[in-house]
Amino acid sequence: MILTVTLNTALDITYRVRELRPHGTHRVSEVSERPGGKGLNVARVLAALGHEVTVTGFVGGSTGRAVQDQLTGTPGVLDALVPVSGATRRTTAIVDESSGDTTQLNEPGPTVASAEWSAFQEAYESLLLGVSAVALCGSLPPGVPVGAYAGLVRTARGAGVPVLLDTGGEPLRRGVAARPDIVKPNADELAELTGSHDPSRATRDARRRGARTVVASLGAGGLLAATPEGTWHATPPARMRGNPTGAGDSAVAGLLSGLVERLPWPDRLARAVALSAATVLAPVAGEFDRAAYQELLGRVAVTGDATAA
């Protein structure tokens, strides 16, 4: 069992329009709703890969009920979300079919009371007892301490559970210092953390700050990994056009599944890049084009040096 944590869960709403024009009125050609937030996207991809997943985090209000109702019908995903008095946020993606570009609108999320945060921490400790890995994903809702992820990393490490952290800003800086097994920042988050815009230098610096392994997402440039076993760069065979929402979450699913399956790092990275690219080709976050994934997996280029750590 794998555990994913999404403190700021969401109901993801995707609109497709023929062409997005500022100040204009648009007819929506298609609309879809899915449980969202980074960890829930990760969970659905992991389940599609055949892993059993428990999801936790906060959920509340009518939007939260819609999230839980849809999770009920997701094979392989167990709902362990913790209720709060506020309403779960919505995120809206508008896909411009003429260009393939996506515009994203994200609400901030409910304010979490101190008693609700304490209840979550107790639930989290209990859930760690039966899992093989945990992913801590996404932004913090209002009211949650900025050092929340650092505490959750330390709790997982104390329970002997490998932990992956995927966040940004000050929560990432504090979380890295708690020594997670893997962090997966994007290029901007990594530069903000280290002050360096050179990904190779920045990944090494992030490891010195406490992370055992750093896997940097470089967008169309793939993934760059600095690990205790070596450094590798995995790149997709071509730039994908489509909806990039959730592509990074699919990469996290690839890394986590590779971790629990004990795959070598080059194989983990190839899976993560292929899943990420196949997600761009899917209509909504938390899904991937299965045929494209299988085809891309054998075409991902992985270069590196197993002695360069």
Side-chain angles (χ1 to χ4, degrees):
M1 180 72 73
I2 298 173
L3 176 66
T4 71
V5 176
T6 314
L7 296 179
N8 211 1
T9 56
L11 181 66
D12 284 345
I13 304 168
T14 302
Y15 293 125
R16 301 185 73 89
V17 299
R18 180 175 297 177
E19 182 181 4
L20 183 61
R21 302 181 307 278
H23 316 298
T25 299
H26 302 79
R27 289 187 179 276
V28 176
S29 61
E30 182 182 338
V31 60
S32 61
E33 291 186 355
R34 294 290 189 279
K38 294 178 73 65
L40 295 188
N41 293 337
V42 172
R44 290 205 303 278
V45 174
L46 283 169
L49 293 172
H51 291 273
E52 293 187 344
V53 191
T54 297
V55 297
T56 192
F58 295 114
V59 69
S62 59
T63 309
R65 286 193 294 274
V67 167
Q68 291 186 293
D69 287 345
Q70 294 194 35
L71 282 176
T72 300
T74 306
V77 176
L78 177 65
D79 175 3
L81 293 165
V82 176
V84 292
S85 59
T88 296
R89 67 189 178 128
R90 296 162 297 183
T91 66
T92 302
I94 306 171
V95 180
D96 183 328
E97 295 176 335
S98 66
S99 66
D101 293 335
T102 300
T103 300
Q104 190 82 15
L105 304 173
N106 295 336
E107 296 178 2
T111 298
V112 176
S114 59
E116 293 169 335
W117 173 235
S118 296
F120 171 81
Q121 290 175 287
E122 292 180 10
Y124 174 73
E125 289 188 38
S126 297
L127 289 168
L128 286 174
L129 297 177
V131 302
S132 55
V134 58
L136 309 174
C137 304
S139 62
L140 301 178
V144 173
V146 71
Y149 281 138
L152 298 180
V153 168
R154 285 191 286 268
T155 301
R157 287 178 55 82
V161 178
V163 56
L164 182 152
L165 177 62
D166 183 13
T167 189
E170 186 65 11
L172 173 61
R173 188 183 72 79
R174 298 196 186 194
V176 164
R179 305 185 66 81
D181 295 272
I182 305 172
V183 294
K184 195 214 70 65
N186 62 34
D188 290 340
E189 292 163 345
L190 186 61
E192 182 181 1
L193 172 67
T194 64
S196 174
H197 291 275
D198 177 346
S200 296
R201 178 180 298 174
T203 52
R204 293 193 298 269
D205 185 18
R207 284 198 69 212
R208 286 193 293 268
R209 290 168 185 255
R212 178 174 172 82
T213 290
V214 180
V215 181
S217 176
L218 308 179
L223 297 174
L224 177 65
T227 84
E229 292 81 23
T231 60
W232 288 274
H233 185 195
T235 55
R239 179 184 291 270
M240 304 295 153
R241 284 174 56 93
N243 182 2
T245 306
D249 306 330
S250 291
V252 169
L255 295 172
L256 268 181
S257 62
L259 169 68
V260 299
E261 294 172 28
R262 302 183 183 276
L263 296 180
W265 269 107
D267 293 343
R268 298 188 204 182
L269 294 169
R271 176 182 291 182
V273 168
L275 281 170
S276 181
T279 297
V280 175
L281 300 175
V284 295
E287 297 182 0
F288 61 95
D289 184 312
R290 291 174 179 270
Y293 165 63
Q294 293 295 337
E295 192 271 335
L296 288 164
L297 185 58
R299 299 173 56 206
V300 174
V302 182
T303 59
D305 185 348
T307 65

